[in-house]
């Protein structure tokens, strides 16, 4: 199964270590954080408290250099060790048991760790964590909605992040940032600036964290020297000395060469993901564009070859795979059941001046992806109409390998989406996509995902006049009962009212959560590397960035469209049954109503077939959610917008909904992203694309379209060329993103039966890839049931 | 003829093996040949057909209620059809929620079919376009020519997949408009051809010679059926014919048995004796023979 191409012995060994080490939970960070809070809390301002805590971490956390590695630094004390963040979420001992014992996405918890949690962490943090503050602040209605599965909340266990590094860290070191900070402090007018105190404290905090990261690197330098002393092998000794030299130079200064550039990024990465457990960790963004100058320089001055650059890149890749996403519990686990931490590297695209951004480094990165076959980092190609076909074909060849990497984005559309939001043209071009599919102005924007929103659940409640039939609780707005909804227009109006009602509840909660982070959980380190936090003297979590967006991610667009199509045809047009009769059929979960179920399933126009009778409802739904959310202000000066992606939330959201008018049985999964309902698309990939392109995607911050191909469709040059044309056509139609699973359903079924044979089978889930064996059976079945585009 | 109509069984999108690029293939119903290995048996008859998949039937009897001719009666597992009474109107298929009965063939005008083809125009790119297949598109010259004309007007590349067993006049008219022919050659021996396809190959070969005098934009396509036409010598002769006519491209299409299920659903007998699918090594060997003749030979569509 496993294809090993260009990896050398060193890389192979490090990769094996990364793959074979079981994930563990590390209590070290929690302990250090607690020590810092015990020492400083109440004595200094909150930003300074966070900065001093960061400093304490950087000065005391374990430093480790794995045997043979060239790029150094771990978040935990060893590879695959994930820390906890008790200031955000203080796990109970029961949580630890679950995390330790659960079948999927588990982390080994040692007895010692458990003891520390019981004796030190829980006594200090219980009732004080952000999660506690959030649930304390939420209204009973918010809690009812949350428990009913109307929406999820990203920030109840993980901090805002959702952002990406731009090119500044290749131009400036921490010492340069310190100079900028000093200038910003000097510019404060304490007599006239009402925010002078807040600004100064924030900037002082930023100054502390710059020093802390330098100190962290110095510790790595010292360790490398120490190891070099004891190293018998001459070659390795030289490597360790080189590592020491690199770590003494970056991150204090801007990198001078390729090796330093990679190490620079990784220190910054560790800074961000150690400061807080930012959702969507952190990401180097346009890595090929950032590295290309260093690569060319290295080739010119003879310090680098293609092979040595490849080796460094592969060592760099493994560092990402060593960092599993911090352990999640409860609904947060359900909506994102994966070890992947969503660092998503952008390849290709365009340059800040608008010209073709593809370089030899882009092709090198594609080779790295194909070699490494690792879950992390995720990768995508940014395809512009300006990029050569060679680039798209090279990406298609990697896609054909079947790992779901790289996903494919419409770079020109991404720029247009950012421009629509008010970004400058250069900031838009420097932007890209991160996490799963989300657009952002890299290095200049806080674009925070707040949580998923369950449109189909809202329709279910609409069909019951505001009551959730699963619990009997009235949590919706007052809209007419089913008997009084006499036309599709009336039904859509009621649906709109319910959407607006639940969005209000969701946003009211989000607004409080946003302020809790702004007040109590600033992120001075992330602020240093995000424009214009230094200039504004304001934190990333408090609107300090140049641009600030908050997203609500809508789930189940395909399902809702098919439901509305079925209601329109069978209830209001053909009058096959009344709405009340339909409700009865649904509440019976189709028991005794097989004919009706099949009628709804098979005799209804469905989304994904380029059938306007169905697709008009995706447009209706889009307008309803767009108008309910887009443009609303947030308390720290941001703007709400919409996105359409699910991670694994379509499984969870389906589990809280009874049978639906599209013929779906109770608690079955929903459709994901903007993909059709699994199996509903029967007219091939072009029909799916035509349907998806009817959504006005430019008004979103990202949509996600999954396609599953049987490997034979992509065989040969013909298959590859057709895939390229398919991608180009979707993007010509203003599609945002498309990704491919290239694996047959038969293979997946076999993998379910004999998991031991398929240990390294990687599949595309939603905005990420995962090992098939890591997925829950529900998710495995969902992927199997997606329509497989066959050979014709 | 703008309102020329024909029975269409399917307009297949993202068709990547019926000519260059991404294409939409329009399948017309009705064929003068009856090849035993035919993998589109639904396109042989010139009439609407109803397929039956009794294993899907849930016994709701919606079809009985819908049938205007009283051609259906309740049966043990699924309703029974009285073929004498059935007019093929398709009301039963329309009514069946379980997709146990499906109607094959929808009468469409060329304009209606083209509207469907045009929807996928963004995908055709520089190479792709529309392919007419079947069945035999040149058995329906009015429809086919009109669709070709409509496509040319929109600058959509045109292709006809033909068995060649049609009046020369039909082919000649198509050659004025169509940009590429996929021309099937089943067997060069007349008796063998009659045995396996039910028709003589004289007209087919004569039409090919005449067509090749008008255009060289012809890809020969040979279904390779083991034991029937896969002898290296036979393939060589086809290659020599191509060379003689000045044609450069030949596609060898390996026989596959996946259409067997279709025969059962149509109530047809699968008359081809049990033949294996040709192994890829054999296909490569046959391809090499053609390549050595200086031809651009490929396996698959």
């Amino acid at each position: 199964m496993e294809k090993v191409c260009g990896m050398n012995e060193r890389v192979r060994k490090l990769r094996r270590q990364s793959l074979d080490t079981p994930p563990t939970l590390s209590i070290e960070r929690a302990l250090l954080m607690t020590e810092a809070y015990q020492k400083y809390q109440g004595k200094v301002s909150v930003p300074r408290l966070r900065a001093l805590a960061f400093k304490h971490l950087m000065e005391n956390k374990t430093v480790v250099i794995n045997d043979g590695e060239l790029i150094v630094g771990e978040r935990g004390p060893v590879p695959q060790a994930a820390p906890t963040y008790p200031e955000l979420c203080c796990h109970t001992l029961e949580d630890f048991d679950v995390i330790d014992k659960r079948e999927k996405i588990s982390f080994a918890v040692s007895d010692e760790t458990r003891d520390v949690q019981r004796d030190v962490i829980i006594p200090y943090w219980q009732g004080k964590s952000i999660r506690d503050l959030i649930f304390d602040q939420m209204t009973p209605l918010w809690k009812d909605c949350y428990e009913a599965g109307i929406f999820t909340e990203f920030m109840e266990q993980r901090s805002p992040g959702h952002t990406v590094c731009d090119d500044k860290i290749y131009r400036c070191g921490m010492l340069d940032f310190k100079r900028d900070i000093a200038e910003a402090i000097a510019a404060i007018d304490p007599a006239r600036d009402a925010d002078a105190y807040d600004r100064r404290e924030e900037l002082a905090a930023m100054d502390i964290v710059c020093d802390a990261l330098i100190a962290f690197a110095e510790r790595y330098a010292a360790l490398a020297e120490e190891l070099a002393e004891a190293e018998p092998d001459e070659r390795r000794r030289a490597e360790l000395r080189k590592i020491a030299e690199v770590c003494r130079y970056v991150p204090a200064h801007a990198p001078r060469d390729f090796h330093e550039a990679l190490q620079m990024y990784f220190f910054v990465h560790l800074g961000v993901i150690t400061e807080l457990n930012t959702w969507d960790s952190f990401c180097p963004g346009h890595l090929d564009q950032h590295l290309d100058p260093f690569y060319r320089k290295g080739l010119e001055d003879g310090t680098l070859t293609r092979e040595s650059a490849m080796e460094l890149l592969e060592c760099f890749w493994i560092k990402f795979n060593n960092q599993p996403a911090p352990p999640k519990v409860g609904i947060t686990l359900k909506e994102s059941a994966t070890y992947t931490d969503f660092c998503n590297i952008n390849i290709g695209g365009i340059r800040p001046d608008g010209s073709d951004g593809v370089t030899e480094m882009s092709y090198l990165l594609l080779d790295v992806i194909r070699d490494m076959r690792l879950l992390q980092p995720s990768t995508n190609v940014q395809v512009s109409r300006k990029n050569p076909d060679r680039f798209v074909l090279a990406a298609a060849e990697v896609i054909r390998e079947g790992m779901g990497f790289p996903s494919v984005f419409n770079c020109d559309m991404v720029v247009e989406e950012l421009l629509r939001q008010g970004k400058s043209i250069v900031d838009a071009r420097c932007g890209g996509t991160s996490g799963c599919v989300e657009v952002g102005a890299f290095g200049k924007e806080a674009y925070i995902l707040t949580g998923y929103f369950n449109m189909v659940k809202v329709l279910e409640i609409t069909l019951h006049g505001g009551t959730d039939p699963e619990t009997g609780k009235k949590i919706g707005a007052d809209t007419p009962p089913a008997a009084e909804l006499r036309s599709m227009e009336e039904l859509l109006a009621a649906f709109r009212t319910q959407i607006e009602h639940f969005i209000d509840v969701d946003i009211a909660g989000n607004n409080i959560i946003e302020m809790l982070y702004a007040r109590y959980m600033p992120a001075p380190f992330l602020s240093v590397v995000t424009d214009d936090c230094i200039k504004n003297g304001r934190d990333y979590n408090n609107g300090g960035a140049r641009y600030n967006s908050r997203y609500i991610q809508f789930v189940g667009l395909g399902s809702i469209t098919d439901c509305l199509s079925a209601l329109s045809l069978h209830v209001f047009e053909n009058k096959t049954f009344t709405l009340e009769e339909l409700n009865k059929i649904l509440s019976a979960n189709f028991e005794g109503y097989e004919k009706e179920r099949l009628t709804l399933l098979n005799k209804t126009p469905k989304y994904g077939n380029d059938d306007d009778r169905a697709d008009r409802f995706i447009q209706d739904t889009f307008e309803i959610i767009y108008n309910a959310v887009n443009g609303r202000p947030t308390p720290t000066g941001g703007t709400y917008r919409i996105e359409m992606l699910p991670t694994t939330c379509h499984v969870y959201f389906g589990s809280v909904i009874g049978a639906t008018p599209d013929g779906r049985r109770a608690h079955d999964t929903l459709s994901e992203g903007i993909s059709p309902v699994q199996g509903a698309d029967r007219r091939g990939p072009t029909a799916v694309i035509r349907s998806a392109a009817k959504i006005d995607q430019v008004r979103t911050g990202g949509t996600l379209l999954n396609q599953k191909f049987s490997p034979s469709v992509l065989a040969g040059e013909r298959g590859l060329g057709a895939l390229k044309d398919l991608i180009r056509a979707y993007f010509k139609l203003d599609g945002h993103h498309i990704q491919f699973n290239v694996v047959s359903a038969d293979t997946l079924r076999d993998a379910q039966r004999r998991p031991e044979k398929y240990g390294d089978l990687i599949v595309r889930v939603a905005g990420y890839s995962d090992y098939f064996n890591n997925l829950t059976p529900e998710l495995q079945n969902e992927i199997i049931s997606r329509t497989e585009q066959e050979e014709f | 003829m703008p309102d020329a109509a024909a029975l269409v069984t399917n307009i297949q999108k993202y068709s990547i093996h019926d000519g260059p690029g991404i294409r939409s293939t329009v399948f017309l119903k009705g064929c003068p040949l009856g090849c035993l290995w035919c993998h589109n048996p639904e396109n042989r008859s010139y009439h609407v057909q109803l397929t039956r998949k009794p294993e899907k039937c849930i016994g709701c009897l919606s079809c009985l209620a819908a049938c205007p001719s009283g051609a259906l009666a309740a049966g043990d597992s699924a309703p029974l059809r009285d073929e004498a009474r059935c007019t093929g109107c398709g009301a039963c298929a329309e009514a069946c929620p379980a997709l146990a009965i499906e109607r094959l063939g929808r009468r469409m005008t060329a304009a209606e079919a083209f509207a469907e083809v045009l929807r996928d125009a963004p995908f055709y790119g520089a190479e792709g376009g529309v392919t007419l297949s079947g069945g035999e598109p040149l058995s329906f010259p009015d429809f086919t020519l009109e669709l070709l004309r409509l496509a040319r007007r929109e600058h959509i590349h045109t292709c006809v997949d033909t068995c060649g067993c049609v009046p020369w006049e039909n082919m000649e008219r198509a050659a004025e408009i169509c940009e590429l022919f996929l021309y099937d050659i089943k067997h060069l021996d007349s008796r063998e051809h009659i045995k396996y396809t039910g028709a003589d190959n004289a007209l087919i070969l004569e039409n090919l010679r005449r067509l090749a005098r008008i255009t060289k934009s012809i890809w020969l396509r040979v279904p390779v059926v083991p034991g029937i036409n896969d002898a290296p010598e036979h393939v060589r002769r086809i290659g020599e014919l191509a060379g003689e006519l000045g044609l450069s491209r030949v596609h060898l299409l390996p026989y596959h048995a996946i259409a067997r299920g279709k025969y059962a659903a149509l109530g047809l007998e699968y008359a081809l004796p049990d033949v294996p699918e040709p192994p890829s090594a054999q296909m490569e060997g046959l391809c090499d023979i053609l390549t050595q003749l200086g031809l651009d030979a490929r396996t698959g569509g």
Side-chain angles (χ1 to χ4, degrees):
Chain A
M1 268 313 274
E2 194 171 11
K3 284 178 196 147
V4 177
C5 312
M7 274 183 273
N8 64 23
E9 193 50 41
R10 175 208 310 278
V11 173
R12 205 165 299 167
K13 219 175 97 194
L14 288 167
R15 180 178 178 276
R16 259 297 124 215
Q17 179 191 38
S18 188
L19 289 175
D20 292 346
T21 309
T24 50
L25 190 144
S26 161
I27 203 70
E28 183 184 62
R29 183 190 177 283
L31 256 178
L32 291 169
M33 184 53 62
T34 310
E35 282 171 17
Y37 265 67
Q38 281 168 336
K39 193 165 164 195
Y40 300 116
Q41 195 177 28
K43 295 179 191 154
V44 295
S45 67
V46 174
R48 218 183 266 263
L49 167 68
R50 292 299 304 166
L52 291 168
F54 181 78
K55 183 162 175 274
H56 190 62
L57 283 171
M58 289 295 146
E59 288 175 350
N60 293 288
K61 75 192 283 299
T62 304
V63 288
V64 56
I65 296 176
N66 301 306
D67 195 22
E69 70 182 359
L70 300 175
I71 305 296
V72 300
E74 296 286 344
R75 164 152 66 178
V78 289
Q80 302 294 351
T84 60
Y85 299 73
E87 69 269 43
L88 298 175
C89 167
C90 178
H91 294 113
T92 62
L93 293 178
E94 293 73 46
D95 286 340
F96 270 21
D97 287 342
V98 170
I99 289 168
D100 182 47
K101 303 233 157 48
R102 65 193 176 203
E103 204 181 319
K104 310 271 178 178
I105 321 298
S106 63
F107 293 80
V109 182
S110 71
D111 289 346
E112 198 193 339
T113 294
R114 218 169 170 280
D115 291 348
V116 172
Q117 185 75 4
R118 184 189 59 222
D119 300 338
V120 183
I121 310 300
I122 293 176
Y124 185 81
W125 291 104
Q126 200 166 38
K128 278 189 232 164
S129 74
I130 284 279
R131 192 182 196 207
D132 294 321
L133 297 184
I134 288 174
F135 285 114
D136 202 39
Q137 284 284 329
M138 294 299 112
T139 61
L141 178 58
W142 187 95
K143 284 179 189 160
D144 280 343
C145 293
Y146 182 72
E147 278 157 20
I150 305 282
F151 47 72
T152 65
E153 177 47 60
F154 265 33
M155 261 89 75
E156 56 109 358
Q157 289 174 43
R158 303 201 54 184
S159 76
H162 298 104
T163 198
V164 171
C165 202
D166 62 4
D167 65 337
K168 69 169 72 69
I169 63 162
Y170 310 98
R171 289 184 280 106
C172 305
M174 292 296 137
L175 294 175
D176 300 300
F177 294 131
K178 276 172 67 73
R179 258 193 304 279
D180 294 345
I181 292 164
E183 279 171 23
I185 293 175
I188 295 172
D189 181 348
R192 290 180 183 77
D193 183 353
D195 296 328
Y197 169 76
D198 287 343
R199 275 190 229 283
R200 198 196 59 213
E201 287 305 297
E202 177 65 32
L203 287 164
M206 292 189 203
D207 187 63
I208 294 168
V209 296
C210 289
D211 287 331
L213 195 72
I214 296 171
F216 183 56
E218 291 283 350
R219 293 176 63 218
Y220 267 99
L223 175 63
E225 276 157 6
E226 193 186 311
L227 291 171
E229 286 298 308
E231 177 59 52
D233 180 67
E234 198 180 325
R235 237 183 92 189
R236 182 60 184 159
R237 195 158 60 234
E239 284 170 7
L240 286 162
R241 293 221 166 98
K242 170 74 180 167
I243 290 170
E245 186 197 321
V246 169
C247 295
R248 292 241 186 266
Y249 198 79
V250 294
H253 308 90
R256 296 165 296 189
D257 62 24
F258 193 78
H259 187 159
E260 286 182 357
L262 290 172
Q263 187 64 60
M264 176 77 183
Y265 174 77
F266 204 67
F267 276 134
V268 171
H269 185 87
L270 286 176
V272 172
I273 68 171
T274 306
E275 177 177 57
L276 284 168
N277 63 2
T278 45
W279 198 312
D280 288 355
S281 61
F282 198 50
C283 178
H286 291 289
L287 187 63
D288 53 346
Q289 294 191 30
H290 300 326
L291 291 180
D292 188 58
F294 295 106
Y295 179 59
R296 278 186 287 119
K297 182 168 162 275
L299 292 182
E300 271 163 33
D301 64 22
T303 54
L304 207 62
T305 62
R306 192 181 194 278
E307 289 64 40
S308 65
M310 187 99 169
E311 181 182 49
L312 281 165
L313 280 168
E314 296 191 334
C315 287
F316 181 70
W317 239 245
I318 290 161
K319 297 310 294 187
F320 288 90
N321 201 63
N322 282 353
Q323 324 299 328
K328 302 162 230 180
V329 293
I331 288 173
T332 298
L333 178 74
K334 287 184 184 173
E335 68 187 329
S336 181
T338 175
Y339 288 121
T340 293
D341 212 7
F342 296 96
C343 167
N344 197 342
I345 290 171
N346 290 224
I347 306 172
I350 56 173
R351 293 172 202 274
D353 66 2
S355 62
D356 176 13
V358 172
T359 61
E360 275 313 301
M361 181 52 58
S362 315
Y363 295 104
L364 201 64
L365 292 188
L366 287 172
D367 285 346
V368 169
I369 299 167
R370 197 207 294 242
D371 256 12
M372 299 310 284
R373 300 183 75 82
L374 289 172
L375 288 194
Q376 301 199 75
S378 288
T379 47
N380 68 73
V381 286
Q382 300 281 317
V383 173
S384 163
R385 54 184 176 255
K386 290 173 183 166
N387 296 149
D389 276 354
R390 178 193 159 201
F391 174 63
V392 188
L393 287 166
E397 266 189 81
V398 183
I399 289 168
R400 188 162 66 177
E401 301 266 313
M403 301 173 282
F405 292 146
S407 60
V408 190
F409 287 90
N410 182 354
C411 170
D412 306 309
M413 181 71 172
V414 167
V415 171
E416 201 179 327
E417 288 162 28
L418 289 167
L419 284 176
R420 185 196 74 87
Q421 298 178 351
K423 272 86 176 172
S424 78
I425 183 69
V426 172
D427 288 353
R429 286 170 180 158
C430 293
T433 54
S434 63
C436 295
V437 297
E438 304 90 280
V439 299
F442 292 175
K444 299 157 195 81
E445 183 177 14
Y447 47 114
I448 316 256
L449 277 60
T450 62
Y452 296 109
F453 189 92
N454 192 344
M455 290 183 282
V456 185
K457 182 76 196 171
V458 175
L459 179 67
E460 184 183 44
I461 289 170
T462 307
L463 295 179
H464 292 84
T467 299
D468 177 3
E470 293 277 299
T471 59
K473 275 191 189 174
K474 171 85 192 295
I475 56 174
D478 284 318
T479 53
E484 290 170 29
L485 294 172
R486 294 199 178 83
S487 68
M488 200 57 203
E489 289 67 36
E490 286 181 19
L491 190 149
L492 283 171
F495 179 56
R496 177 184 297 113
T497 303
Q498 295 294 357
I499 289 276
E500 287 165 355
H501 162 78
F502 287 113
I503 289 292
D504 278 354
V505 177
D506 190 11
I507 286 184
N510 285 338
N511 286 348
I512 290 171
I513 294 165
E514 187 170 320
M515 287 316 294
L516 290 174
Y517 274 95
R519 293 265 164 81
Y520 303 114
M521 213 44 68
F525 186 75
L526 182 55
S527 304
V528 168
V529 292
T530 309
D531 298 333
D532 299 313
C533 294
I534 294 177
K535 202 171 111 195
N536 295 334
R538 275 179 84 176
D539 193 84
Y540 182 87
N541 285 346
N542 191 24
R546 186 175 302 169
Y547 308 105
N548 293 278
S549 301
R550 293 288 184 284
Y551 284 101
I552 295 176
Q553 310 97 253
F554 288 83
V555 175
L557 213 58
S559 298
I560 194 102
T561 302
D562 291 356
C563 287
L564 293 173
S565 173
L567 288 163
S568 171
L569 182 71
H570 297 297
V571 176
F572 297 111
E573 201 177 311
N574 290 355
K575 303 192 193 309
T576 316
F577 19 69
T578 67
L579 209 47
E580 282 172 295
E581 285 163 356
L582 179 62
N583 271 343
K584 209 174 112 198
I585 293 166
L586 298 178
S587 59
N589 193 18
F590 301 115
E591 292 289 327
Y593 296 101
E594 186 62 2
K595 179 180 157 191
E596 287 75 7
R597 186 183 75 85
L598 290 172
T599 301
L600 293 166
L601 194 66
N602 294 326
K603 296 289 175 176
T604 305
K606 296 287 176 88
Y607 168 70
N609 298 290
D610 191 17
D611 184 339
D612 292 332
R613 291 173 302 166
D615 296 347
R616 56 165 281 220
F617 292 109
I618 207 162
Q619 291 162 324
D620 285 344
T621 306
F622 181 87
E623 294 303 328
I624 288 172
I625 57 178
Y626 178 83
N627 289 321
V629 174
N630 186 71
R632 292 175 67 158
T634 84
T636 64
T639 306
Y640 276 103
R641 304 181 218 282
I642 63 169
E643 280 170 348
M644 284 151 197
L645 62 118
T647 315
T648 59
C649 203
H650 54 300
V651 177
Y652 162 60
F653 275 175
S655 75
V656 299
I657 309 172
T660 41
D662 58 343
R664 169 190 151 280
R665 288 201 167 91
H667 311 136
D668 274 1
T669 180
L670 300 177
S671 66
E672 40 74 34
I674 58 167
S675 312
V677 167
Q678 298 77 0
D681 49 323
R682 293 171 180 174
R683 305 211 61 201
T686 65
V688 173
I689 280 174
R690 290 258 319 160
S691 281
K694 290 174 197 173
I695 304 166
D696 192 6
Q697 300 185 29
V698 74
R699 287 190 282 159
T700 72
T703 61
L704 184 149
L705 180 62
N706 253 311
Q707 285 284 280
K708 190 167 86 182
F709 280 74
S710 82
S712 61
V713 184
L714 300 185
E717 261 180 59
R718 290 289 292 283
L720 218 52
L723 183 66
K724 180 218 21 140
D725 288 346
L726 191 73
I727 291 166
R728 292 276 201 198
Y730 184 41
F731 290 175
K732 200 157 65 180
L733 294 170
D734 284 351
H736 172 83
H737 154 276
I738 188 166
Q739 62 189 23
F740 303 91
N741 259 318
V742 186
V743 58
S744 73
D746 286 344
T747 304
L748 296 177
R749 277 191 211 100
D750 195 44
Q752 267 188 326
R753 278 191 299 268
R754 296 183 292 174
E756 67 287 352
K757 260 195 70 189
Y758 293 89
D760 62 350
L761 175 64
I762 297 176
V763 295
R764 198 72 184 166
V765 182
Y768 68 104
S769 291
D770 212 335
Y771 288 107
F772 192 68
N773 285 349
N774 276 356
L775 307 179
T776 60
E778 294 79 25
L779 205 51
Q780 290 181 344
N781 289 333
E782 188 267 309
I783 292 171
I784 290 171
S785 68
R786 290 178 193 168
T787 300
E788 185 172 323
Q789 308 295 1
E790 289 279 6
E791 197 173 357
F792 309 118
Chain B
M1 233 190 289
D3 56 351
L7 277 181
V8 175
T9 45
N10 186 20
I11 298 178
Q12 180 63 59
K13 311 290 183 71
Y14 199 66
S15 180
I16 58 175
H17 295 288
D18 288 315
I22 295 178
R23 314 189 71 82
S24 293
T25 301
V26 180
F27 288 95
L28 300 181
K29 201 163 176 345
C31 184
L33 299 187
C35 310
L36 295 188
W37 53 80
C38 178
H39 63 270
N40 287 325
E42 70 277 20
N43 295 327
R44 290 224 304 241
S45 156
Y46 291 82
H47 305 286
V48 169
Q49 284 170 292
L50 298 164
T51 66
R52 287 157 47 83
K53 293 182 178 164
E55 71 279 5
K56 287 190 172 183
C57 178
I58 57 164
C60 68
L61 302 183
S62 302
C63 52
L64 256 70
C67 180
S69 326
L72 291 164
D76 281 347
S77 59
L80 302 168
R81 186 162 62 218
D82 179 348
E83 299 295 345
R85 286 192 179 180
C86 176
T87 62
C89 73
C92 54
E94 197 67 34
C96 176
L99 309 181
I101 312 175
E102 279 190 279
R103 180 195 160 116
L104 292 175
R106 187 154 64 98
R107 187 153 292 278
M108 293 178 96
T109 65
E112 285 167 344
F114 183 66
E116 236 354 83
V117 168
L118 193 58
R119 290 183 91 93
D120 269 18
F123 300 93
Y124 301 147
E127 290 197 297
V130 61
T131 296
L132 281 117
S133 183
E136 175 48 59
L138 296 178
S139 294
F140 310 94
D142 293 343
F143 178 96
T144 295
L145 291 170
E146 180 62 16
L147 207 157
L148 291 173
R149 262 193 291 273
L150 290 169
R152 291 298 300 270
R153 199 171 67 188
E154 295 292 331
H155 298 272
I156 289 173
H157 182 263
T158 49
C159 175
V160 165
D161 178 11
T162 180
C163 72
C165 192
V166 295
W168 165 245
E169 181 202 288
N170 294 2
M171 192 165 286
E172 189 180 29
R173 286 166 65 199
E176 287 169 21
I177 310 173
C178 179
E179 290 154 284
L180 174 66
F181 285 89
L182 308 179
Y183 205 114
D184 297 356
I185 297 293
K186 274 92 181 188
H187 214 295
L188 294 179
D189 183 285
S190 166
R191 264 182 315 192
E192 293 290 297
H193 201 277
I194 293 170
K195 182 172 166 194
Y196 291 111
T197 74
D200 191 3
N201 62 6
L203 177 63
I204 295 170
L205 295 175
E206 176 58 19
N207 280 345
L208 176 62
R209 287 175 197 284
R210 295 173 79 169
L211 184 65
R213 283 200 283 271
I214 302 175
T215 174
K216 301 296 178 201
S217 184
I218 302 170
W219 296 359
L220 295 185
R221 302 220 294 183
V222 184
V224 176
V225 190
I228 293 177
N229 65 359
D230 67 332
E233 185 47 34
H234 181 244
V235 172
R236 185 190 314 279
R237 279 169 57 208
I238 292 175
E240 284 163 358
L241 173 66
E244 187 191 316
L245 298 178
L247 307 178
S248 58
R249 188 145 163 178
V250 182
H251 285 255
L252 300 177
L253 315 178
Y255 162 77
H256 53 72
I258 55 168
R260 272 172 183 273
K262 288 191 192 175
Y263 282 79
L266 283 161
L268 297 174
E269 186 198 352
Y270 194 69
L272 189 73
D274 239 350
V275 295
E277 300 188 357
S280 56
Q282 186 194 356
M283 294 303 296
E284 279 166 33
L286 295 175
C287 244
D288 285 348
I289 294 174
L290 297 173
T291 309
Q292 279 161 17
L293 292 172
L295 295 166
D296 178 0
R298 308 182 188 204
T299 296

